[in-house]
Amino acid sequence: MTKTTRVMLAVLAACGASAAMAQSSVNLYGRVNTSIEHQKLGNASATGMVTNSSFIGFRGTEDLGNGLKAGFVLEANFNSDDGAGSDNGAFNFKRNSEINLAGGFGMLRLGSFDPASYLATADYISMHNHDTGTSADYLYFGAASKGNVIAYRTPDIAGFNAEVQYRFGEKSGVNATNGAGVVTTANAWEDKGGWDLGVNYANGPLGLGFGYSQQKRDVLPAGVTAGEANEKDSQFALRASYAIGDLTLGAYYQKQKSDFANVKAKRDAYRLAAMYVIGASELHANVGKATKVKIDGVKTGESATQWTLAYNYNLSKRTKVYALYTNINNTASAEVASPAAFNLNNTANSDKFRAYGVGIRHLF
């Protein structure tokens, strides 16, 4: 074997080793969740098919060597009842769109993804239908928005992990001003960005979580000088969960705040959830309450109570059938969004919402 041949073989071996270290993979995954429900809002009712946050996703990683990996996640919601994109018929990756670098140091993330504060608290105890559809948690206040986010997630250390996120406002939403700096477009506003924090602790059957988020914007009604009216939304929440054999219990408490033009609004919300497993069956119950809104210390509007009873039967690890009943005693009067999936023309002096239905969920 000549010296030249040996050198060529060594180079090829080195290239092969580099290629092995740079192994990459892309996975297709998602969820199809469809139910048939009868919904009622006040005196209006309808029966039909409902999509429950169905989505398709692509996840990829590349091994860069030395414990470093690059990755991406792209997720798009779609309507499983009619096949259309869920964003007014459009198909996009607004559900999740990120690129990341991960290693022994943790993970650096860039893009659009769920607030860590939400995942550490409300989402964690949404055991029935993973906080989707009409039985989702409509009392939790998500102060943080998605998009234009940079985040750092720590590695697990003695059961603890945390993620901090910063969202760039990018001065989006600014509308026209005249030469004197006075806004000339009604309801104009300027996004000032925000940040979010989620902390988790797990020790056997015990789980704890903490979340905090805030965002700011200048709300600029026509004729108001830019920067004169500022809005700040914030929230913090605590979560606990505990498993006792086949029984899992969870709860969270949240303090909600919104400050606008020297007016301070506050509200408390909390939820209790339970799941009991019997073979392939799951029995679910949860109840939540949002207190009346306090504006400068004075209670206004109505409080809201939401409760859900549900039964899941797991046909496999990825497929289940379920039945549910959910009820919210006040929606608009308590400043709570209505879960109604249909155009219900309510003419009664009541904004009580209730729904019952059956569905199928499949993960792939």
Side-chain angles (χ1 to χ4, degrees):
M1 183 181 293
T2 66
K3 181 176 180 181
T4 302
T5 302
R6 288 196 297 268
V7 171
M8 292 178 64
L9 290 174
V11 171
L12 289 172
C15 290
S18 298
M21 286 191 298
Q23 290 292 327
S24 61
S25 63
V26 177
N27 296 318
L28 171 68
Y29 65 99
R31 174 177 64 210
V32 182
N33 189 345
T34 310
S35 58
I36 297 175
E37 300 182 14
H38 178 77
Q39 300 181 0
K40 190 170 184 178
L41 179 65
N43 65 352
S45 64
T47 301
M49 191 171 290
V50 180
T51 181
N52 300 287
S53 295
S54 298
F55 74 94
I56 185 170
F58 304 88
R59 180 188 294 116
T61 60
E62 181 184 12
D63 190 343
L64 302 175
N66 298 319
L68 185 65
K69 292 184 178 181
F72 73 90
V73 179
L74 298 172
E75 293 181 354
N77 282 114
F78 65 91
N79 297 333
S80 57
D81 55 347
D82 62 13
S86 59
D87 187 6
N88 294 320
F91 183 87
N92 54 52
F93 293 109
K94 287 184 178 181
R95 175 184 170 89
N96 197 333
S97 176
E98 73 166 277
I99 188 167
N100 58 65
L101 287 175
F105 62 89
M107 179 181 286
L108 176 67
R109 310 171 70 196
L110 303 174
S112 178
F113 33 82
D114 288 325
S117 59
Y118 163 72
L119 297 177
T121 54
D123 180 71
Y124 204 97
I125 67 166
S126 297
M127 297 177 281
H128 155 55
N129 213 3
H130 203 67
D131 205 19
T132 65
T134 54
S135 61
D137 186 346
Y138 282 84
L139 308 183
Y140 178 86
F141 174 59
S145 299
K146 297 172 66 173
N148 304 310
V149 174
I150 180 172
Y152 167 69
R153 180 186 297 167
T154 70
D156 289 338
I157 304 173
F160 285 93
N161 67 74
E163 181 169 326
V164 60
Q165 304 175 347
Y166 176 77
R167 186 177 62 82
F168 296 92
E170 299 184 349
K171 289 188 175 294
S172 61
V174 177
N175 282 269
T177 59
N178 60 21
V182 175
V183 177
T184 57
T185 305
N187 302 317
W189 56 274
E190 178 182 347
D191 191 345
K192 306 293 285 187
W195 67 280
D196 184 88
L197 172 67
V199 181
N200 292 283
Y201 172 73
N203 184 359
L206 175 65
L208 301 174
F210 168 78
Y212 176 82
S213 57
Q214 72 168 39
Q215 66 177 10
K216 297 180 180 179
R217 64 179 185 175
D218 287 348
V219 182
L220 311 171
V224 176
T225 302
E228 183 174 316
N230 299 321
E231 181 178 359
K232 175 183 175 182
D233 296 327
S234 65
Q235 66 84 27
F236 78 84
L238 300 171
R239 182 264 307 173
S241 57
Y242 196 83
I244 309 170
D246 295 325
L247 176 65
T248 301
L249 302 173
Y252 77 77
Y253 165 79
Q254 183 187 44
K255 173 72 73 173
Q256 308 169 359
K257 294 183 179 180
S258 183
D259 299 342
F260 169 63
N262 298 319
V263 175
K264 298 183 182 297
K266 298 180 180 180
R267 164 179 266 179
D268 296 337
Y270 51 86
R271 185 171 294 274
L272 304 173
M275 174 180 70
Y276 186 71
V277 178
I278 308 172
S281 297
E282 298 173 2
L283 303 176
H284 292 265
N286 69 74
V287 59
K289 183 178 180 66
T291 63
K292 292 182 178 181
V293 177
K294 284 186 177 181
I295 298 180
D296 291 336
V298 179
K299 293 182 179 180
T300 61
E302 300 291 340
S303 62
T305 300
Q306 179 185 16
W307 57 274
T308 298
L309 297 175
Y311 170 76
N312 296 352
Y313 185 81
N314 295 288
L315 299 171
S316 70
K317 290 184 178 180
R318 297 185 297 158
T319 303
K320 74 175 183 181
V321 293
Y322 60 87
L324 66 90
Y325 175 81
T326 190
N327 182 303
I328 306 178
N329 68 330
N330 292 306
T331 52
S333 61
E335 297 188 25
V336 172
S338 168
F342 312 118
N343 185 19
L344 300 179
N345 184 22
N346 176 30
T347 59
N349 186 25
S350 170
D351 56 1
K352 179 180 180 179
F353 175 84
R354 53 272 200 212
Y356 59 85
V358 293
I360 305 173
R361 189 202 70 179
H362 175 72
L363 306 177
F364 61 92

